Amino acid sequence: MSGPRCCANPPTLNPNSGAGHVEKLGGLDTYVTGSPDSKLAALLISDIFGYEAPNLRKLADRVAAAGFYVAVPDFFHGDPHVDGGRPLQEWINDHGVDKGFEEAKPLIQALKCKGITATGAVGFCWGAKVAVQLAKREFIQAAVLLHPSFVTVDDIKGVEVPISVLGAEIDQVSPPALVKEFEEALTAKSEVDSFVKIFPKVAHGWSVRYNVEDESAVKAAEEAHQNLLEWLAKHVK
């Protein structure tokens, strides 16, 4: 499911943002940051606005500072959704999550070729569906979904690796009731470690599409960032 909330608060894209650099990885232009000597990787899968969003790259740098080699791929091949551009559904028809999942596999293999021994996937909105698909088949060691789109209860039931779901109280895409269903499904899978949290007073997209001048928005986003870092540290090792 997607809707207007997926397009709210669009970022001002900046290809020069972040402390890392862009290189080809698994055939995709990818923002990479962190020590190339790290054996642990974090794959950050963007929302519809793509890998040049400054808040996303700032988060990637923070994850890198925690010891991970971080990859943020351009799954949209230079065609992120932009405000005033094509209608969302038309854009999604050209950038399906299944395609993203298929393109993620050679990228993960490329990370292994760099010496990476464990990878966690963090998906935001559109990217959460890709992350949960990876989590079903053990391509990764752990997953974090933030304000997911398109994710179903059946997806959650199929997960085989530790997974954290961070949802928003104000979210028509993945409303709290649906996130609670995710939690119930995960509780029934005692063999899979899980963590589910609904953040109060925030809307869909809050973890990456926040106003850096809004103190409360920054605080809520940083709390989510800390939660995802703790999950990666716990399970990607």
Side-chain angles (χ1 to χ4, degrees):
M1 179 182 177
S2 62
R5 277 290 179 187
C6 289
C7 302
N9 305 318
T12 300
L13 303 181
N14 181 358
N16 299 313
S17 58
H21 66 277
V22 174
E23 64 178 62
K24 285 286 187 184
L25 195 62
L28 297 175
D29 285 339
T30 303
Y31 175 78
V32 295
T33 181
S35 171
D37 296 325
S38 178
K39 300 298 183 185
L40 308 177
L43 173 61
L44 269 57
I45 309 173
S46 75
D47 59 17
I48 61 175
F49 297 106
Y51 82 137
E52 293 180 352
N55 284 352
L56 179 62
R57 289 193 175 183
K58 181 180 178 182
L59 174 57
D61 292 341
R62 180 177 175 185
V63 176
F68 293 90
Y69 183 72
V70 184
V72 191
D74 178 17
F75 285 112
F76 309 138
H77 301 273
D79 182 36
H81 189 272
V82 294
D83 192 31
R86 288 187 294 161
L88 178 59
Q89 191 55 55
E90 180 183 316
W91 180 90
I92 287 174
N93 290 341
D94 288 339
H95 300 290
V97 288
D98 289 342
K99 182 181 178 185
F101 169 58
E102 291 302 323
E103 291 188 334
K105 291 188 278 188
L107 191 142
I108 291 171
Q109 185 57 44
L111 289 172
K112 291 180 179 178
C113 290
K114 284 180 173 286
I116 296 297
T117 58
T119 299
V122 182
F124 306 85
C125 191
W126 181 95
K129 180 71 170 189
V130 179
V132 80
Q133 295 286 67
L134 293 169
K136 291 179 186 179
R137 310 182 196 181
E138 300 187 2
F139 290 106
I140 55 176
Q141 280 61 60
V144 183
L145 315 183
L146 296 100
H147 39 87
S149 291
F150 308 111
V151 175
T152 67
V153 174
D154 283 343
D155 286 328
I156 297 296
K157 288 179 178 178
V159 166
E160 298 294 338
V161 301
I163 186 168
S164 172
V165 183
L166 306 180
E169 180 183 22
I170 307 163
D171 193 342
Q172 296 172 327
V173 183
S174 287
L178 178 60
V179 175
K180 285 292 186 183
E181 288 186 53
F182 293 166
E183 185 174 32
E184 291 169 5
L186 289 167
T187 299
K189 289 177 69 78
S190 58
E191 72 279 12
V192 174
D193 193 14
S194 62
F195 176 77
V196 178
K197 181 176 178 178
I198 296 172
F199 283 68
K201 301 179 182 178
V202 298
H204 184 84
W206 94 94
S207 72
V208 283
R209 300 203 303 271
Y210 57 90
N211 181 351
V212 296
E213 297 178 357
D214 183 333
E215 186 176 336
S216 62
V218 171
K219 183 178 180 181
E222 289 184 344
E223 183 179 342
H225 301 165
Q226 184 61 34
N227 286 167
L228 75 84
L229 274 170
E230 291 168 354
W231 195 252
L232 293 176
K234 180 179 180 182
H235 292 291
V236 182
K237 54 189 178 180

